[in-house]
Amino acid sequence: MRRATVAERSAVPVLVLVTLFVLVVVPILMVVYTAFRDAVPFSGSESNFTLSNFGALFEEKTVSAAINTVIVTIGGTLMATAIGCILAWLAARTDIPFKPLVHVVGILPLFISMLAATVTWALLGAGNSAYLNIILADLGAPFRIEMRSLAGFIFVEGLYHVPYPFLLVYAALSLITSDIEEAAAVHGANQFQTTMKIIFPVVLPAILGSMILNAVMMVENIAVPQILGGPVGLETLSIRVYYLMNRIPSSPTQASAVALLLAAIVFALIYAQNFVLKGRDYRTISGKGAQQKVMSLGNWRYVAAGFVVLYFTVAIVLPMLALLLGALRANAYIANTAAMFDVAQLSSDRLLSITSDSEVINGLKNSLVVAFVTCVFGTGFFFILAYIVHRTRIPGRKVIEYIAMMPLAIPATLLAMGVLWAWIGSPIPVYGTIYIIILSFLPRFMPQAFRALSSSVMQVHEDLENAALLCGATRAQTVWKVFLPLVRGGVVSAAFLLFVLSLREVGGALFLYTTNTRVLSIVVFESYENGSWDFVAGVSLLYTVLLGGITLLGLKWLRPSL
Amino acid sequence: MVRVIDAMSIRIKGLKKKFGSFVAVHGVDIEVPEGKMLVLLGPSGCGKTTTMRCIAGLEAPTEGIIELGGQPVFDSQRRINVPVNHRNVGMVFQSYAIWPHMTVTENVAFPLKMQKLPTAEVEERVAEILRIVGLEQFRDRGATSLSGGQMQRVALARSLVMRPAVLLFDEPLSNLDARLRDHLRVELRELQTRFNITSVFVTHDQSEALSLADQIAVMNTGRVLQADDPVTIYQNPHSSVVADFIGYRNIFPGAVRQGGDDGILFALDESSFELTSVHPPPPGEGGIFACVRPEDFEIEAHRPDQPVKPNTFIGEVTSASFMGSYTQYRVRSTTGQVIDVFHNRAPLDLPPGSPARLHVAPKSVLLLPMRSAS
């Protein structure tokens, strides 16, 4: 009947805090520190304090990249939010035909990697030899599409970020019970007034929240400016950081300074979110997704269905066709529309050769290993974090929660740089192995996985555990016999989320790979630079099929995390 | 047959619990003799649940001593704190806390499995207890397919089966509907006396407290205001706050006018009305309150030509609700008081708006301080 000593009680939280510090805080500090030095620290060369790196912020290219970032982010966010809200409303509150399919369409783009999607739109609409422009020329249309422009950036970003507003707004809409709408009707409001004065204010936090989420992802996106912007020198801040790091000679200290500017923008967005959402959390409005009234669209049903089909075609069907065509063409040159669909010009040789390409196979192997290890370690560690934060009174749990959510505000490029410098000089030889990529992916996906696990931890009433303790179970027995069985669904879901996110990730792996440790996303990213489009299309196709297949297999488990 | 549990007493001395700078429990002293039921009664946030969670070991007190059966399970000075899973304390939660991934049998067998008892004994004891709480036909059901009342029975069985030193009830009936609540309350009291288990029951419902308790401790703002048996506390509350919890609906502030042989004359604040009481006023300074239970008023129609006895309010009925065994009237007196009356006999012809007079005997008027001097 002895009390646990102070040392015993604080061992776990101290260990957890140290691990968090190394995973999250050290890389960030490395980048901040480097931004104020004239050479990369711990690189062997001597470094001194300087402010000159921030001169890079005022270079013409950085300024225009910053302006482009803002334009693309605002445009893309508005487009994604508009489409997402319409789809969510149609799926949740109308009598649109084939309603469950509307829901599928709303979340489908989530399972297509941004990288592959951008490749397809380069094939479809970059320059006069792109597929859509060939068709337009044959139709005699007086205009051409140009994806290698800010409008193109906005279009691709907006098209594929629809699932986030869709999911958040759909969830908010389905949480509103008909009661509060009926109450509005009883007190004299018509359908339109009810929608504007009751429904809209209640889902507004979800709309604003998804806008900020999308804006953050667009600010740090690197695939779009690389693939669409690269050929015409159109840059955003994230790709500017990448170029500064990768040009010869590279300018890592200036890259750090620009990365801090990028982080400042993200930080401002997150601050804005907290400010805007303050006191506007209406999630408690109802416990369950109760009976809901459905609005009858009449003949507008067909217009609504047409909108859904159009979005599905543009976001999914066209790109997949383009990818197939790109991967199967024997000859990259296409004279006209007829030639485009000429079966005689198709060949599966190239595609088959890709599946036996050592670079591709190696990348696939690396991707799966990285995803698996990230998934196993991440799930275990983040579960411990969520348990400590929500189920114990250990001092320091607030700090743990704060650090776990911190990477949300850290752009992928900055994190990857920080991880590189944090480990390159360390006595533990992880640089050059795939483990350094895992060390970057773990903090990168920490907020998403931590949040998913937290919500399942919080769903279990504390009394359920207390009852087991009172029955004589130890804390470990309680977690094992009562707690884990109850959260199993949420844990599997979070693990799967980690696996898929790891397979998709590009930005967090930048600067960290070597020839032998490239993951599949990096193979696509780099092969684009080497030029051969049939190879890029083939690998993208393979990558999309892999991601799509895995997601489909695990959809049932993934659902709770969405 | 049913084994009577070796009951243990509970003794709490100087219990204090702080959450940060907030003091939830302010030095509480409680004793519960073997086999008795103590009810902690008070409004939410009064510290009753925290006190109980300290007994269970779910909270570590800031200061004080807790003894079960004479053995300390917590002592801040001697640095003793027996962990919750070694205290052998049973607890029935407001939320039921039935494990949804287990069957009824698995739920109830859990504490015995934790004690590593042989399978045969576990099965025998589980079957016996399920029969006692009337759930034997549900033994293989998933626990979440049961109704609220059945779930609370599972929770009770799960606590009883471990033969706990003491059994704690955290508002176990408040999630149930009224009829089931009455039913289960009686059953619960029966089981508690039959097994002779020392129990602590937390509630904010005065009728629940009066019907269940051997002892009631009325708590407010982290302190025990009064601890007595139900009859004493009902007839002789020490303060107006306790009187309020225990069902004295009519509490009027005022001051003693004069003492005499036929009683104390008490003037109500903000009016000229005077009440006579046979009870001596409390000593000391501070405000005094006249407290009257609603069933101690006699209500009748008021006719101006008839003489008015002393200790009689005159006023107008503002509402009348027929409750079955009694009728509840609310009357606004001409001197400004709002008075609640339970009329136990046949309903009177007194619709809202009718003039009425309310008489109270001087022995039914208690003169109490806001808080007792102790």
Side-chain angles (χ1 to χ4, degrees), chain A residues 1-3 393 461-475 477-478 481-483 485-486, chain B residues 19 53 56 58-59 79 81-82 84-85 89 91 93 95 97-102 110-111 114 116 158 162:
Chain A
M1 302 230 179
R2 55 188 269 281
R3 278 158 69 107
R393 302 241 173 95
H461 199 297
E462 213 173 339
D463 284 353
L464 291 167
E465 281 186 272
N466 287 338
L469 290 172
L470 283 157
C471 287
T474 62
R475 178 60 75 171
Q477 282 172 319
T478 303
K481 294 201 181 232
V482 172
F483 194 75
L486 290 175
Chain B
F19 294 103
R53 288 170 63 88
L58 294 169
E59 298 297 347
R79 304 193 130 265
N81 185 11
V82 178
V84 48
N85 50 325
V89 168
M91 185 158 168
F93 295 85
S95 64
I98 296 303
W99 301 306
H101 59 299
M102 299 183 190
F110 188 88
M114 288 298 115
K116 300 207 165 59
R158 185 174 65 187
M162 66 193 276

Side-chain angles (χ1 to χ4, degrees), chain B residues 67-146:
Chain B
E67 289 177 2
L68 300 182
Q71 291 294 315
V73 291
F74 182 87
D75 188 331
S76 55
Q77 296 214 316
R78 289 159 64 195
R79 304 193 130 265
I80 295 171
N81 185 11
V82 178
V84 48
N85 50 325
H86 291 157
R87 287 196 187 185
N88 194 30
V89 168
M91 185 158 168
V92 180
F93 295 85
Q94 183 178 4
S95 64
Y96 315 140
I98 296 303
W99 301 306
H101 59 299
M102 299 183 190
T103 63
V104 169
T105 303
E106 285 168 335
N107 263 283
V108 177
F110 188 88
L112 303 181
K113 291 209 172 123
M114 288 298 115
Q115 293 172 20
K116 300 207 165 59
L117 295 182
T119 317
E121 188 184 345
V122 171
E123 280 174 10
E124 186 191 331
R125 275 170 67 174
V126 170
E128 182 191 13
I129 209 80
L130 286 179
R131 203 180 59 247
I132 289 170
V133 298
L135 284 176
E136 65 261 76
Q137 71 270 39
F138 298 109
R139 44 178 308 152
D140 296 319
R141 280 269 201 106
T144 43
S145 68
L146 304 177

Side-chain angles (χ1 to χ4, degrees), chain B residues 20-325:
Chain B
S21 61
F22 172 72
V23 185
V25 180
H26 256 288
V28 157
D29 301 298
I30 287 172
E31 287 200 37
V32 192
E34 291 96 359
K36 298 296 181 196
M37 163 98 77
L38 170 78
V39 173
L40 297 176
L41 174 67
S44 60
C46 72
K48 59 190 193 297
T49 299
T50 305
T51 303
M52 194 178 63
R53 288 170 63 88
C54 287
I55 302 174
L58 294 169
E59 298 297 347
T62 315
E63 256 176 60
I65 299 174
I66 301 173
E67 289 177 2
L68 300 182
Q71 291 294 315
V73 291
F74 182 87
D75 188 331
S76 55
Q77 296 214 316
R78 289 159 64 195
R79 304 193 130 265
I80 295 171
N81 185 11
V82 178
V84 48
N85 50 325
H86 291 157
R87 287 196 187 185
N88 194 30
V89 168
M91 185 158 168
V92 180
F93 295 85
Q94 183 178 4
S95 64
Y96 315 140
I98 296 303
W99 301 306
H101 59 299
M102 299 183 190
T103 63
V104 169
T105 303
E106 285 168 335
N107 263 283
V108 177
F110 188 88
L112 303 181
K113 291 209 172 123
M114 288 298 115
Q115 293 172 20
K116 300 207 165 59
L117 295 182
T119 317
E121 188 184 345
V122 171
E123 280 174 10
E124 186 191 331
R125 275 170 67 174
V126 170
E128 182 191 13
I129 209 80
L130 286 179
R131 203 180 59 247
I132 289 170
V133 298
L135 284 176
E136 65 261 76
Q137 71 270 39
F138 298 109
R139 44 178 308 152
D140 296 319
R141 280 269 201 106
T144 43
S145 68
L146 304 177
S147 70
Q150 288 165 337
M151 280 210 245
Q152 205 52 300
R153 268 174 215 192
V154 176
L156 187 61
R158 185 174 65 187
S159 282
L160 287 174
V161 82
M162 66 193 276
R163 293 172 184 160
V166 300
L167 186 47
L168 308 175
F169 297 92
D170 183 9
E171 307 205 24
L173 306 176
S174 55
N175 277 350
L176 305 172
D177 63 58
R179 269 186 49 188
L180 194 59
R181 192 158 55 216
D182 274 2
H183 195 75
L184 206 56
R185 189 184 61 207
V186 174
E187 203 173 299
L188 216 147
R189 178 64 163 157
E190 246 173 49
L191 285 170
Q192 184 262 330
T193 35
R194 175 167 160 202
F195 281 88
N196 193 35
I197 310 178
T198 315
S199 302
V200 177
F201 192 106
V202 160
T203 183
H204 59 263
D205 181 325
Q206 49 118 344
S207 63
E208 210 165 273
L210 291 170
S211 62
L212 279 169
D214 294 304
Q215 281 259 304
I216 294 178
V218 178
M219 288 186 73
N220 198 16
T221 59
R223 292 185 172 85
V224 174
L225 302 181
Q226 185 175 355
D228 267 314
D229 66 276
V231 177
T232 308
I233 217 163
Y234 190 67
Q235 291 178 342
N236 188 17
H238 291 170
S239 63
S240 68
V241 178
V242 173
D244 189 21
F245 285 131
I246 222 77
Y248 288 73
R249 292 251 197 128
N250 305 298
I251 296 177
F252 311 111
V256 173
R257 199 42 74 72
Q258 62 177 83
D261 289 340
D262 20 325
I264 310 295
L265 209 53
F266 186 79
L268 304 193
D269 280 356
E270 291 160 13
S271 75
S272 55
F273 196 83
E274 289 178 345
L275 270 177
T276 308
S277 167
V278 297
H279 302 284
E285 304 291 305
I288 300 180
F289 297 82
C291 306
V292 184
R293 288 194 297 247
E295 59 268 35
D296 287 338
F297 276 108
E298 285 164 37
I299 183 168
E300 58 184 343
H302 172 62
R303 270 183 243 108
D305 51 321
Q306 287 189 341
V308 176
K309 285 189 281 182
N311 264 18
T312 301
F313 290 91
I314 294 168
E316 185 188 293
V317 175
T318 59
S319 78
S321 327
F322 179 59
M323 310 292 286
S325 58

